[in-house]
Structures are given as C-alpha cells and as structure tokens.
Amino acid sequence: MLLKGRKIIITGGPTREWFDPVRYISNASSGKMGIALADESNNISKNTCFIHGPISEDLLKNKPYRCIGVETTNDMLESVLYEIEDNSVLIMCAAPADYSPVKKSDEKIKKQNENIFIEMTRTPDILKNVSAAREFRKLNNLFVAGFAAETSNTEEYALSKLNEKKLDMICLNDVSKEGAGFGCDTNILTLFTRTGSKVELPILTKDKAASEILKQIEKELLKRNY
Ligand code: C5P
C-alpha cells in the first residue's frame, strides 16, 4: 500500500508554554508548511489529520480533514501518540517549544524593576517518544519524517537528527537562506532518507515543497515494499 488510503498525520505550528495566565514561551512558526503538507496529503489520502499548535484561524478555515488543536508540547505529544498506528505516516513539521517554565503562576506576575529569572525545564522530544512507541507498540510499518531547521553545519546536524531520532526521512530547512523558513510562503529543502537518498529541492512554494516531500515518501514506501 502506498500513500493512498494510508492514515497520514501531519503536525504544524508552534506550541505554547505558559508561565502565568497571560504570558508564554513560544516561537515564530506560522504553521504554513504544516498546512501545505496537510492539504497535499488530503489530495492523496482522505485519512489525513493535522495536529497543530496555536496558529491563525484563517489558515484553518474550511479544511476538509480533521484538525486537532493543541497548546503545549506535552499536549502535542499525547495527541501524536494517540493518532499514530501501524502503516500510518507521521510528518512532524511542528516547532514544539523545547523548554517549559518549571512553575506556572496562577496569578499574573507583577512587573518589577529588577530582572526576573524564569527557570525552564526541557519538554519531551516528541519524535524520540514516537521511536520508543514504535518499538514498544511494534508499529513496524509506521513511516516517520521530521524537519531540521538549521543555520550552520546544516547537513551534519540533519543527518545526526535522522539517526538520533530514528527517522525514515528528514527535511532539512536551511533557515539562513532567503526564501526559506518561518513565516514565508516558499521553502528550500534537502530531503535525506534512512535508505541513503539525498534530494536537493530548489526554492519552491510551500505547496510544491509539500508535494515533493510526499512524492519522496511514496518512493521510500515503494523501496521498502510496505
Ligand atoms: O531537535 P530539533 O528540535 O531541532 O528537531 C526538529 C524535529 O524534531 C522536528 O521534526 C520537530 O517537529 C521535532 N521535535 C519534536 N519534539 C520537540 C521538538 C522538536 O519532535 N520537543
């Protein structure tokens, strides 16, 4: 079975980690690449779901697939672990917050004249948890793709993430290049696969980049005959 008919789970956007009722730690991910992937994926398989952090309502309007809104990295982890199943495809395009405040104040922290320090703890790495779940739950035919947004030693970091997170594919995004990365409508990606392929894509709209990513996943599924 190729992509048609498979469950395809896409994540996108940032997550938020609150430290009082009105303030949070987050990042500038817009969710546009995730939406482009979910749109393209839905053209191939009606069993598409999009797990997203807080992103613009306009981007989510009239989507014909299931959209699941989450807030924190922990929420996203829970939702991803719930949705993955054997034979499904997970594309982790989200930019989950890597740190979360140790304490969340119930009341708004009063402004002071002195500097303040917010102690932060690491959030769980969703992809590493997925790899563990893949072994534990014997999801042998789950296909997992991740993203790497890098500014230096890009290929080296991308390949080490491919190995460390036990991915089937990693989409390297050199965010130092003009026309790539957070917020813009285009992207410049290089795709590396566990089977040793390297595909350098030119600058493309996020829709076209999404279509190339899905084509590459299809090729990998063909190679593995599952
Ligand atoms: O390690 P780094 O955050 O650079 O890796 C990026 C990849 O890891 C992306 O696919 C992102 O969705 C995923 N990620 C994750 N859990 C986190 C942070 C990032 O799965 N807590």
Side-chain angles (χ1 to χ4, degrees):
M1 182 174 48
L2 294 177
L3 277 176
K4 196 172 156 57
R6 267 181 209 255
K7 180 171 186 181
I8 307 177
I9 304 134
I10 318 275
T11 69
T15 59
R16 276 182 192 169
E17 306 293 332
W18 296 84
F19 58 92
D20 79 11
V22 295
R23 302 187 183 101
Y24 54 79
I25 307 292
S26 190
N27 61 65
S29 170
S30 64
K32 286 182 182 172
M33 190 66 229
I35 288 271
L37 277 163
D39 286 351
E40 288 297 316
S41 161
N42 185 65
N43 290 333
I44 302 171
S45 171
K46 295 294 165 230
N47 196 358
T48 288
C49 84
F50 180 50
I51 303 173
H52 61 88
I55 59 173
S56 153
E57 282 295 320
D58 280 354
L59 287 176
L60 292 165
K61 242 184 224 157
N62 302 324
K63 292 302 179 195
Y65 42 83
R66 210 152 49 91
C67 294
I68 303 164
V70 297
E71 185 129 307
T72 66
T73 298
N74 256 314
D75 296 341
M76 187 171 276
L77 170 65
E78 237 176 71
S79 186
V80 166
L81 290 180
Y82 181 78
E83 293 294 337
I84 53 172
E85 54 188 56
D86 205 12
N87 288 310
S88 63
V89 173
L90 169 68
I91 310 178
M92 270 298 300
C93 179
D98 292 316
Y99 294 93
S100 178
V102 171
K103 284 190 202 141
K104 185 186 164 201
S105 166
D106 290 335
E107 288 177 12
K108 184 180 171 193
I109 298 169
K110 288 270 172 264
K111 219 183 313 185
Q112 303 160 24
N113 288 331
E114 298 82 43
N115 294 347
I116 63 160
F117 296 90
I118 298 166
E119 191 186 351
M120 309 251 264
T121 178
R122 277 298 306 267
T123 53
D125 188 296
I126 298 172
L127 283 172
K128 285 188 181 165
N129 277 272
V130 166
S131 312
R134 176 149 63 173
E135 278 178 33
F136 184 67
R137 285 159 57 184
K138 301 203 172 17
L139 309 177
N140 299 326
N141 295 328
L142 167 68
F143 187 97
V144 184
F147 271 71
E150 308 291 345
T151 54
S152 62
N153 303 332
T154 54
E155 183 160 340
E156 191 186 324
Y157 284 132
L159 288 174
S160 71
K161 266 169 213 173
L162 181 75
N163 289 324
E164 268 172 34
K165 302 190 191 219
K166 300 190 181 139
L167 305 177
D168 297 297
M169 183 165 110
I170 191 137
C171 311
L172 166 64
N173 194 342
D174 182 343
V175 284
S176 67
K177 287 184 186 153
E178 202 172 316
F182 285 5
C184 57
D185 294 319
T186 54
N187 218 342
I188 308 168
L189 297 173
T190 307
L191 314 180
F192 297 93
T193 69
R194 175 162 294 283
T195 56
S197 306
K198 174 181 176 182
V199 179
E200 282 181 272
L201 299 175
I203 182 164
L204 292 172
T205 61
K206 287 189 171 172
D207 289 348
K208 292 228 168 72
S211 159
E212 291 302 320
I213 290 169
L214 290 165
K215 269 188 210 156
Q216 193 58 39
I217 293 178
E218 187 115 296
K219 278 190 193 157
E220 289 302 302
L221 292 173
L222 254 178
K223 270 189 209 166
R224 289 158 197 212
N225 207 16
Y226 70 75

